């Protein structure tokens, strides 16, 4: 029996040493220390032994039991600690690790250029207003002195919107420019007027590197007593210096727009080559960036302003074009392609 206990003890300890999980440990406890364990059998059968043998065997059996119990507890503590350490290691957070980069959006290059343009005029004291993209024929054309036979009115140039009922202001259409807002502003306010109008315009147009059927303009209008072409030049030159740099020169040449007289086209000397000729200015040294002119007396009369008392100047520019010239972009379609490789360059 003593030999049996010794053998049991070394078998149990050897087994215990191999365990590293709690369920297996519990199985071990049932096997070696449970009610139906070999050791328990021996302890229960002690009564059948002679008194002297009973004492010796009893003592050894109890020693074995105590030993197995304490080894069991040690082993359990050890396994629990190992498991806890593994868990902590698994969940450890390295607070010194660089964060994953967060993807934050950015403004579209057109929005950036638009805000820059509008910001420049704001600094010059202009108000910013917006108008409807679906406009009346009368405001888009007639009141801007654009006659019925003008080619822009052709349905090949303009998106007309199906219009019904009596139409005192003509058909509705997607505005072809922001200029009709000149009329809306003047009809609502008395001089002095100083506004810029950013907005989207539409033309029925074949798309190529410099034309899109949808584009963005900024219109400007100033009306007051004693405004002259000198005010126009000064204002637009100041604007140019803010957007293209203080060293830029401007050039005004005669151009025709029905709603201004005289009309002009304004150019900036090329910031890419300072006038020498390069890819951006197509070797001309100049970038034409907007149309402008003194508001036509017929337009002033049409909105009830007295042209003998008030004069004004107006201007209009394409935001895509300015953005292309400023950044040397050679295809307008890039703005609408939603290609992140292009857009990310404007962070
Ligand atoms: N509305 C013109 C266009 O879309 C641009 C323009 C030219 C606006 C001269 C003006 C101006 O206010 O005075 O081409």
């Amino acid at each position: 029996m003593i030999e049996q206990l010794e053998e049991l003890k070394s078998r149990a300890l050897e087994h215990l040493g191999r365990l590293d999980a709690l369920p297996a440990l519990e199985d071990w406890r049932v096997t070696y220390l449970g009610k139906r364990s070999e050791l328990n059998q021996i302890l229960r059968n002690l009564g059948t032994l002679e008194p002297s043998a009973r004492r010796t065997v009893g003592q050894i059996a109890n020693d074995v039991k105590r030993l197995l119990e304490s080894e069991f507890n040690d082993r359990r503590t050890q396994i629990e600690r190992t498991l806890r350490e593994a868990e902590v290691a698994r969940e450890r957070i390295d607070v010194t690790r660089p964060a994953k980069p967060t993807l934050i959006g950015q403004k579209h290059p057109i929005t950036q250029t638009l805000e820059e343009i509008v910001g420049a005029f704001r600094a010059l004291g202009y108000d910013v207003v917006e108008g409807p993209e679906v406009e009346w024929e009368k405001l888009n054309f007639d009141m801007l002195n654009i006659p019925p036979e003008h080619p822009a009115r052709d349905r090949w140039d303009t998106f007309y919107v199906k219009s019904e009922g009596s139409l005192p202001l003509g058909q509705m259409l997607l505005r072809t420019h922001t200029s009709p807002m000149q009329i809306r502003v003047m009809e609502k306010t008395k001089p002095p007027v100083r506004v810029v109008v950013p907005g989207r315009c539409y033309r029925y147009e074949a798309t190529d590197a410099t034309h899109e059927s949808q584009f963005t303009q900024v219109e400007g209008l100033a009306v007051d007593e004693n405004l002259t072409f000198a005010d126009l030049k000064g204002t637009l030159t100041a604007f140019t210096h803010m957007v293209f740099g203080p060293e830029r020169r401007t050039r005004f040449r005669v151009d025709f727009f029905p709603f201004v007289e005289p009309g002009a086209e304004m150019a900036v000397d090329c910031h890419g080559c300072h006038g020498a000729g390069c890819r951006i200015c197509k070797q001309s040294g100049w970038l034409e960036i907007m149309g402008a002119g003194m508001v036509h007396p017929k337009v002033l009369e049409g909105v009830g302003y007295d042209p003998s008392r008030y004069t004004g100047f107006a201007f209009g520019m394409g935001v895509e074009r300015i953005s292309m010239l400023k950044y040397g972009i050679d295809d307008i379609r890039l703005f609408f392609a939603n290609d992140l490789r292009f857009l990310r360059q404007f962070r």
Side-chain angles (χ1 to χ4, degrees):
M1 233 173 199
I2 293 170
E3 264 172 38
Q4 190 192 348
L5 282 166
E6 283 303 325
E7 189 273 331
L8 173 64
K9 181 175 91 182
S10 53
R11 179 153 41 93
L13 291 177
E14 192 268 334
H15 189 179
L16 186 66
R18 280 186 281 121
L19 300 180
D20 54 11
L22 292 174
L25 195 66
E26 177 59 14
D27 289 346
W28 182 94
R29 192 191 60 77
V30 172
T31 307
Y32 297 99
L33 292 167
K35 272 204 197 94
R36 297 208 225 135
S37 63
E38 218 176 318
L39 184 61
N40 215 30
Q41 295 290 319
I42 295 172
L43 286 166
R44 262 192 278 150
N45 292 337
L46 284 179
T48 62
L49 299 178
E50 295 168 23
S52 69
R54 190 192 304 163
R55 206 179 317 123
T56 325
V57 175
Q59 180 144 26
I60 294 172
N62 276 315
D63 285 351
V64 169
K65 186 176 180 183
R66 236 172 285 123
L67 176 72
L68 291 187
E69 279 170 352
S70 90
E71 287 294 311
F72 169 81
N73 285 332
D74 287 356
R75 188 81 192 136
R76 185 171 56 191
T77 311
Q78 198 183 326
I79 290 175
E80 281 172 352
R81 191 192 323 126
T82 309
L83 289 174
R84 212 177 316 118
E85 279 168 5
E87 192 179 342
V88 167
R90 223 179 313 117
E91 294 183 355
R92 161 175 252 115
I93 295 170
D94 178 358
V95 293
T96 66
R97 219 170 114 169
K100 283 190 200 159
T102 323
L103 283 179
I104 30 176
Q106 67 178 80
K107 286 175 181 167
H108 191 278
I110 292 302
T111 307
Q112 293 183 28
T113 307
L114 185 69
E115 288 182 353
E116 212 179 322
I117 294 170
V118 167
F121 284 107
R122 234 192 249 281
L124 293 172
Y126 281 66
D127 287 333
V128 184
V129 294
E130 288 181 280
E133 290 177 22
V134 182
E135 187 53 278
W136 294 106
E137 198 174 6
K138 186 165 178 199
L139 276 81
N140 194 83
F141 298 125
D142 299 83
M143 295 186 75
L144 289 166
N145 195 32
I146 300 174
E149 65 279 6
H150 196 281
R153 293 201 179 210
D154 201 292
R155 68 192 170 90
W156 298 117
D157 294 311
T158 299
F159 291 109
Y160 285 93
V161 175
K162 201 166 185 183
S163 324
E164 283 167 4
S166 81
L167 300 166
L169 302 179
Q171 307 279 306
M172 294 206 88
L173 46 91
L174 297 184
R175 65 178 173 195
T176 60
H177 51 179
T178 42
S179 304
M181 271 306 283
Q182 292 187 29
I183 307 300
R184 287 180 179 270
V185 168
M186 288 190 285
E187 281 186 333
K188 275 219 314 243
T189 42
K190 286 192 156 53
V193 170
R194 268 212 244 65
V195 290
V196 283
V197 186
R200 215 163 272 167
C201 307
Y202 304 85
R203 284 179 202 174
Y204 191 72
E205 189 124 56
T207 299
D208 64 22
T210 53
H211 297 84
E212 263 288 353
S213 53
Q214 177 188 317
F215 54 99
T216 319
Q217 281 191 340
V218 174
E219 188 79 16
L221 176 69
V223 184
D224 203 347
E225 291 177 3
N226 302 319
L227 283 184
T228 69
F229 203 91
D231 297 299
L232 180 159
K233 285 178 81 171
T235 302
L236 297 182
T237 301
F239 158 77
T240 303
H241 290 165
M242 285 190 257
V243 171
F244 283 94
E247 70 282 10
R248 296 273 66 82
R249 288 181 299 137
T250 51
R251 180 190 74 184
F252 293 83
R253 293 202 301 195
V254 168
D255 201 349
F256 175 75
F257 301 96
F259 38 92
V260 285
E261 182 57 35
E265 147 231 285
M266 189 188 86
V268 186
D269 69 324
C270 180
H271 58 98
C273 58
H274 302 276
C278 70
R279 189 182 63 88
I280 299 175
C281 58
K282 301 205 176 102
Q283 311 308 327
S284 75
W286 292 94
L287 310 172
E288 284 148 24
I289 62 168
M290 68 175 100
M294 300 305 292
V295 181
H296 200 291
K298 278 194 189 166
V299 173
L300 294 174
E301 257 164 33
V303 296
Y305 283 10
D306 177 359
S308 67
R309 179 169 175 204
Y310 296 110
T311 51
F313 60 88
F315 49 90
M317 64 195 96
V319 179
E320 284 78 5
R321 180 169 163 79
I322 292 190
S323 196
M324 287 168 79
L325 295 173
K326 203 167 144 85
Y327 299 112
I329 299 162
D330 53 15
D331 198 319
I332 194 173
R333 290 167 290 198
L334 287 165
F335 289 125
F336 305 98
N338 266 338
D339 185 334
L340 291 180
R341 290 169 304 176
F342 170 71
L343 297 173
R344 285 207 175 111
Q345 299 177 70
F346 299 92
R347 279 185 192 284

